[in-house]
Amino acid sequence: MVDVLRTGLSGLRAFQRALATTSHNIANANTAGYSRQRAALTNNLPAFMGRHETNSHYIGTGVNVQSVNRVYDDFLTRKTRGYNSNVGQLETMDQWISQLDGVVGNKDTGLAPAINQFFAAVQDAANSPASLPARQALLGKAEALAARFQEMNGQMNALREGANQTLTHTVGEINTLTENIAKINESIVRAQGSSGGAPPDLLDQRDQLVADLARKAPISTLAQADGTLSVFIGNGQPLVQGHEAIALETAPSASSQGALDVRVKQTGAVLTDSLHGGEIGGLLDFQSQVLAPAQNQLDALAKGVAATFNAQHKLGKDLDGKTGENFFSAATGAADFKVAITDPRKFAAATDDGTGNPAPGDNSNALKLVGLQTQKTIGGSSYQEAHRQMVAEVGTRGSAASSSLTVQTALLEQATQARDSVSGVNLDEEAANLMKYQQAYEAAAKVVQVGDSIMQTVLDMVRR
């Protein structure tokens, strides 16, 4: 009778743990990174009850929970992590390129309308070369063009500053994630030392931290024999080793003015060139591959406009018969693009009449200045064409990032679905398990009740 009670009690304990595991799954159905758990039931060793004529006689002794494991596929998890890193990079690129496109391509506040309005004023001055109001209006449009160059340069600098701030913040988030991974590594080693196995929930928490880290940066991982997980960034720089987290930092770049490098805080080793994934890679790629080239093109355009307009302007004569001076100055590009003359009489609309004085109403040099608008004076392109090329290149990079983001997002969704089909909680399945284990628990309780009743009957008989 004791065997009946022992067997029934083993069922009560086992199915109670199975019910607890199922309840845990249901409770965490919407927990990010949670892998469903399964109680592995196994029968106890049978008891030898003696030898009969033909064979030995054994009686079963019940059931026990051998382990509680998470249902997990490492390949699918790594695949999902890789796509997550790609999406993080492309999403960041798409967001920042969209902002830059709004700066360079705006039809109302961009550079194109300012160029058109300036040359329209040059044409008006050519139509009325002796008119001081027309000349004053020209200087006003020239100031507006200079302001537009400076504003666009300032907006690009603001984007760089914003990207740098975001980069520094992202590096801080990476450091926090690696510190937490190192702490969980320590907890897993401690748990394995006392129980021989790692708690599934700790493994899930670590995997979720690694997934969050992959969104931020291009990483790889390597499981160690002691249960810890080593994490590497870029081309193999360790971020987490055992219980230790290696911190990163940002510092002014030695090779790119205004940009930041990402480096190892302890050693100063620069990692920037190897970071081609995650949000951090998107920020770095935006600055080096899109923003810097666009700003260089803006500077080249500013210098080109100043140089070519000045060259033609100095071939003319102003209202007082003096040789034309520099109309613009752009010493270091768009940031210093300014109008060099303030007196409208100094606009050199005329040319030398051969006796050192301009002919009355002469607008020949002004017309040549008007013609600069369509001449291919900047690397084989006109002013507008050079500007359109800058806008087009930004737009092309933005379109490519957006298209790639769509593809990678779809791949991430597919990989996530594949992973969740293995590891995710299916509430219908868990509800069925809940009923199954409940019925088994009730049956085991009935066995205990019957065993107890029989035992009481036997004891009552003995007492008589």
Side-chain angles (χ1 to χ4, degrees):
M1 295 306 101
V2 174
D3 292 339
V4 174
L5 282 172
R6 185 183 297 117
T7 299
L9 288 171
S10 74
L12 283 176
R13 287 192 297 268
F15 296 124
Q16 183 182 40
R17 292 173 185 173
L19 281 167
T21 301
T22 302
S23 300
H24 188 55
N25 287 339
I26 293 172
N28 286 280
N30 295 312
T31 300
Y34 179 80
S35 300
R36 64 188 176 93
Q37 298 175 11
R38 180 171 56 202
L41 303 179
T42 183
N43 57 297
N44 293 329
L45 291 176
F48 179 67
M49 302 303 293
R51 187 176 297 278
H52 289 252
E53 295 179 357
T54 58
N55 59 8
S56 299
H57 185 54
Y58 292 88
I59 295 295
T61 59
V63 66
N64 71 85
V65 176
Q66 187 178 36
S67 62
V68 176
N69 302 312
R70 60 177 184 157
V71 181
Y72 177 79
D73 188 304
D74 184 64
F75 171 75
L76 293 177
T77 299
R78 288 176 179 270
K79 189 175 180 180
T80 303
R81 188 184 300 159
Y83 289 132
N84 194 27
S85 185
N86 294 343
V87 169
Q89 177 188 19
L90 292 167
E91 199 171 67
T92 300
M93 286 277 287
D94 185 60
Q95 292 171 354
W96 286 94
I97 293 176
S98 294
Q99 294 183 58
L100 178 60
D101 188 59
V103 171
V104 301
N106 191 295
K107 295 181 180 180
D108 297 321
T109 62
L111 193 59
I115 292 175
N116 291 332
Q117 290 166 15
F118 168 69
F119 277 100
V122 177
Q123 181 66 65
D124 290 341
N127 293 339
S128 304
S131 170
L132 286 178
R135 288 168 171 261
Q136 191 64 57
L138 169 60
L139 293 185
K141 293 301 181 182
E143 291 287 355
L145 177 61
R148 193 63 51 83
F149 269 115
Q150 294 173 23
E151 288 169 4
M152 285 186 64
N153 182 74
Q155 289 173 314
M156 289 183 178
N157 286 338
L159 283 176
R160 177 175 288 103
E161 182 179 351
N164 283 339
Q165 291 175 351
T166 303
L167 181 65
T168 300
H169 178 72
T170 302
V171 167
E173 291 178 322
I174 289 173
N175 288 339
T176 299
L177 289 168
T178 55
E179 289 171 2
N180 289 335
I181 292 171
K183 290 177 182 178
I184 290 187
N185 272 346
E186 185 176 9
S187 299
I188 287 174
V189 170
R190 189 183 304 116
Q192 288 187 154
S194 61
S195 66
D201 294 283
L202 282 181
L203 297 175
D204 280 344
Q205 290 174 23
R206 185 174 68 183
D207 278 350
Q208 184 59 42
L209 289 171
V210 172
D212 293 342
L213 182 60
R215 184 82 174 195
K216 304 291 180 185
I219 62 167
S220 58
T221 60
L222 181 64
Q224 303 296 332
D226 63 354
T228 63
L229 188 73
S230 296
V231 182
F232 308 89
I233 191 172
N235 293 334
Q237 165 64 40
L239 280 184
V240 179
Q241 290 183 310
H243 309 163
E244 180 185 4
I246 293 85
L248 303 179
E249 65 178 4
T250 57
S253 173
S255 59
S256 181
Q257 185 177 4
L260 294 179
D261 276 330
V262 178
R263 65 187 191 183
V264 180
K265 187 173 184 178
Q266 185 175 6
T267 65
V270 177
L271 307 177
T272 305
D273 291 341
S274 67
L275 302 179
H276 301 299
E279 294 173 8
I280 195 171
L283 287 164
L284 293 170
D285 288 349
F286 164 71
Q287 293 194 66
S288 64
Q289 298 177 17
V290 186
L291 180 58
Q295 195 158 22
N296 289 339
Q297 287 177 298
L298 181 66
D299 284 339
L301 179 57
K303 291 178 181 179
V305 169
T308 56
F309 200 89
N310 287 346
Q312 184 61 51
H313 190 257
K314 288 193 291 186
L315 296 177
K317 295 286 186 177
D318 64 17
L319 273 181
D320 299 319
K322 296 180 180 179
T323 301
E325 304 173 1
N326 281 339
F327 191 89
F328 292 115
S329 66
T332 60
D336 293 318
F337 189 92
K338 299 176 182 177
V339 180
I341 64 174
T342 57
D343 185 353
R345 297 183 64 84
K346 290 185 177 294
F347 175 57
T351 53
D352 198 328
D353 64 355
T355 64
N357 294 311
D362 184 0
N363 66 352
S364 55
N365 197 51
L367 291 175
K368 292 178 180 179
L369 289 171
V370 172
L372 290 175
Q373 183 177 13
T374 56
Q375 291 179 17
K376 300 182 182 299
T377 56
I378 302 180
S381 301
S382 67
Y383 300 156
Q384 279 91 344
E385 288 171 346
H387 175 257
R388 284 196 295 268
Q389 183 179 359
M390 176 182 67
V391 175
E393 289 183 9
V394 172
T396 298
R397 292 305 302 264
S399 178
S402 181
S403 297
S404 296
L405 176 60
T406 299
V407 172
Q408 291 297 317
T409 300
L411 291 173
L412 174 60
E413 290 175 354
Q414 293 174 10
T416 301
Q417 290 173 2
R419 183 198 62 191
D420 290 349
S421 68
V422 174
S423 301
V425 176
N426 184 313
L427 290 176
D428 291 336
E429 179 182 350
E430 298 302 329
N433 287 338
L434 198 63
M435 293 180 61
K436 178 175 67 175
Y437 294 136
Q438 179 186 7
Q439 291 171 355
Y441 182 87
E442 291 172 352
K446 187 66 174 179
V447 170
V448 172
Q449 181 182 3
V450 170
D452 180 67
S453 177
I454 295 174
M455 180 63 71
Q456 291 299 326
T457 301
V458 172
L459 291 174
D460 290 342
M461 291 175 62
V462 172
R463 291 192 188 99
R464 291 175 186 167

